[in-house]
Amino acid sequence: MIKPKRLLSLLLRFIAFGTTLAAVILMATSHEKGTFFAVSYEAKYTDTPAFKYFVIAYAIVTVYGFLVLFLPPGSPIWRLVLALDLVFIMLLISSISAAMAIAQVGKNGNPRAAWLPVCGQVPKFCNQVTGALVAGFIALITYIILLLYSIYNFLNPLFEKA
Amino acid sequence: MGLQNEEKLELGCSGSQPRSKKWVLLTVRVIAFLATATATLVMALNKETKTLVVAMVGSTPIKVTLTAKFQHTPAFVFFVIANGMASFHNLMMIMVELFGQKLDYKGLRLAMIAILDMTTVALISGGASAATFMAEVGKNGNSHARWNKICDKFETFCDRGGVAIIASSAGLILMLIITAMSIFKLLNKPKSVSS
């Protein structure tokens, strides 16, 4: 009964929703106590505004993905969904780019600015943040595939077939 | 002159409107190109050398010369590359608009322009966002990770970086407008008689 096009779109949207949810949960629950030269401190995702931005952006997209899953096919709102997909892809790219920039400095440090890498003291935190970034990246690619698929379906009548 | 007459015949009665829209789009593209090119150049030439006194041995100070370059931070390298590619894209689109009116590929010209505009928007947004957050760390430091701020020592470096990021953000907003206009052009494409 369900057309294969609709099934494929639904499957992709479910994968996107799942991976954004995983990214939010992994990043939000990442915290670890570590010692830094006999000073004990806790590394949380709220330490950097970049990670906070990542959590907020992916949470917004998770809610959006959840709502779109229940949209009936053939509704005129699908055009708005196409436009919103583009806007949210931009939001995702911006947030994952910022989080990756800060995570790269946290992992490798910046010797010229005397910024030491943090991952040596809190390895579990670093691994969980890496997992969140990987999930976020998969979500981003899924959303891009969805956007291209929607544009292809939308533009198909406009192609002048030879 | 012959080209303009052909265009008028193809578009029918709505002859003058698409042409003024074409010049509006072209002007916005030129401004966006200038914005992203400025961002690229300002960040690429961003360099500051400073001599700091580290310690005193007796009465002679020991000086250390430190350089701040944009290559030290991968986020800024990505920023320069992303804005460079966006400037190149805008330049190509301006050239195609001005000189390549006949360039087409199976009627997909407008669709390709719209999709390329979208990818450029994504690229600029990634670069600007990464550079913004690295600049924020450089300006405020991060007490939790014991990262000291560097902007109090390298003020010119930070100022120029800030100018580049602002120019890139302006270019991003303009690219968004351009993408919206390209998509409208694609949706309202006149169904001209083909073949």
Side-chain angles (χ1 to χ4, degrees), chain A residues 84-116:
Chain A
L84 279 180
D85 261 352
L86 181 63
V87 171
F88 283 125
I89 282 180
M90 232 191 65
L91 184 66
L92 289 189
I93 287 185
S94 148
S95 65
I96 202 173
S97 171
M100 268 206 250
I102 301 293
Q104 192 268 340
V105 180
K107 196 172 179 72
N108 300 336
N110 194 336
R112 296 183 198 258
W115 291 343
L116 300 174

Side-chain angles (χ1 to χ4, degrees), chain B residues 26 29-30 33 90-99:
Chain B
L26 205 57
R29 265 200 207 278
V30 168
F33 165 69
N90 271 330
L91 197 62
M92 281 294 115
M93 289 298 148
I94 294 174
M95 294 296 161
V96 162
E97 196 72 39
L98 284 178
F99 303 124

Side-chain angles (χ1 to χ4, degrees), chain A residues 7 55 68 110:
Chain A
L7 192 63
V55 167
V68 168
N110 194 336

Side-chain angles (χ1 to χ4, degrees), chain B residues 58-111:
Chain B
S59 56
T60 49
I62 298 183
K63 295 199 174 133
V64 163
T65 314
L66 293 170
T67 350
K69 290 190 222 172
F70 84 96
Q71 297 109 315
H72 296 341
T73 326
F76 289 160
V77 175
F78 176 44
F79 178 82
V80 168
I81 294 178
N83 278 287
M85 288 179 67
S87 315
F88 179 67
H89 160 89
N90 271 330
L91 197 62
M92 281 294 115
M93 289 298 148
I94 294 174
M95 294 296 161
V96 162
E97 196 72 39
L98 284 178
F99 303 124
Q101 280 296 335
K102 290 300 183 189
L103 277 177
D104 207 345
Y105 180 72
K106 288 190 194 168
L108 279 181
R109 173 203 173 103
L110 289 176

Side-chain angles (χ1 to χ4, degrees), chain B:
Chain B
M1 274 299 264
L3 200 68
Q4 286 180 346
N5 285 334
E6 275 176 342
E7 268 190 292
K8 268 197 196 165
L9 279 172
E10 265 188 26
L11 297 167
C13 36
S14 58
S16 60
Q17 222 185 15
R19 262 196 290 155
S20 72
K21 241 193 202 172
K22 169 188 150 183
W23 286 113
V24 169
L25 185 61
L26 205 57
T27 319
V28 182
R29 265 200 207 278
V30 168
I31 303 178
F33 165 69
L34 289 174
T36 46
T38 312
T40 317
L41 283 174
V42 170
M43 189 59 97
L45 302 172
N46 201 2
K47 190 173 136 174
E48 191 181 350
T49 318
K50 201 140 189 167
T51 319
L52 301 169
V53 178
V54 173
M56 299 278 290
V57 174
S59 56
T60 49
I62 298 183
K63 295 199 174 133
V64 163
T65 314
L66 293 170
T67 350
K69 290 190 222 172
F70 84 96
Q71 297 109 315
H72 296 341
T73 326
F76 289 160
V77 175
F78 176 44
F79 178 82
V80 168
I81 294 178
N83 278 287
M85 288 179 67
S87 315
F88 179 67
H89 160 89
N90 271 330
L91 197 62
M92 281 294 115
M93 289 298 148
I94 294 174
M95 294 296 161
V96 162
E97 196 72 39
L98 284 178
F99 303 124
Q101 280 296 335
K102 290 300 183 189
L103 277 177
D104 207 345
Y105 180 72
K106 288 190 194 168
L108 279 181
R109 173 203 173 103
L110 289 176
M112 275 166 60
I113 291 183
I115 291 183
L116 281 174
D117 279 339
M118 279 190 249
T119 52
T120 309
V121 161
L123 199 60
I124 302 182
S125 84
S129 136
T132 311
F133 278 94
M134 282 309 295
E136 194 270 341
V137 173
K139 195 173 181 68
N140 299 334
N142 193 331
S143 55
H144 301 272
R146 307 281 190 279
W147 292 340
N148 302 323
K149 56 174 127 168
I150 60 167
C151 272
D152 47 358
K153 296 192 197 61
F154 292 96
E155 273 182 27
T156 325
F157 182 75
C158 279
D159 284 343
R160 290 204 195 128
V163 165
I165 293 176
I166 291 175
S168 178
S169 306
L172 175 66
I173 294 178
L174 289 169
M175 276 305 298
L176 270 175
I177 297 175
I178 291 175
T179 308
M181 285 166 83
S182 303
I183 294 180
F184 274 134
K185 254 175 116 172
L186 175 65
L187 294 179
N188 299 339
K189 171 166 81 167
K191 310 275 197 293
S192 51
V193 180
S194 63
S195 69

Side-chain angles (χ1 to χ4, degrees), chain A residues 101-154:
Chain A
I102 301 293
Q104 192 268 340
V105 180
K107 196 172 179 72
N108 300 336
N110 194 336
R112 296 183 198 258
W115 291 343
L116 300 174
V118 184
C119 275
Q121 280 88 36
V122 281
K124 192 167 87 78
F125 173 71
C126 268
N127 291 340
Q128 205 159 339
V129 165
T130 313
L133 289 177
V134 167
F137 202 66
I138 296 177
L140 178 66
I141 294 193
T142 313
Y143 263 108
I144 292 179
I145 295 177
L146 260 172
L147 182 73
L148 289 175
Y149 188 63
S150 310
I151 291 180
Y152 174 69
N153 281 339
F154 186 69

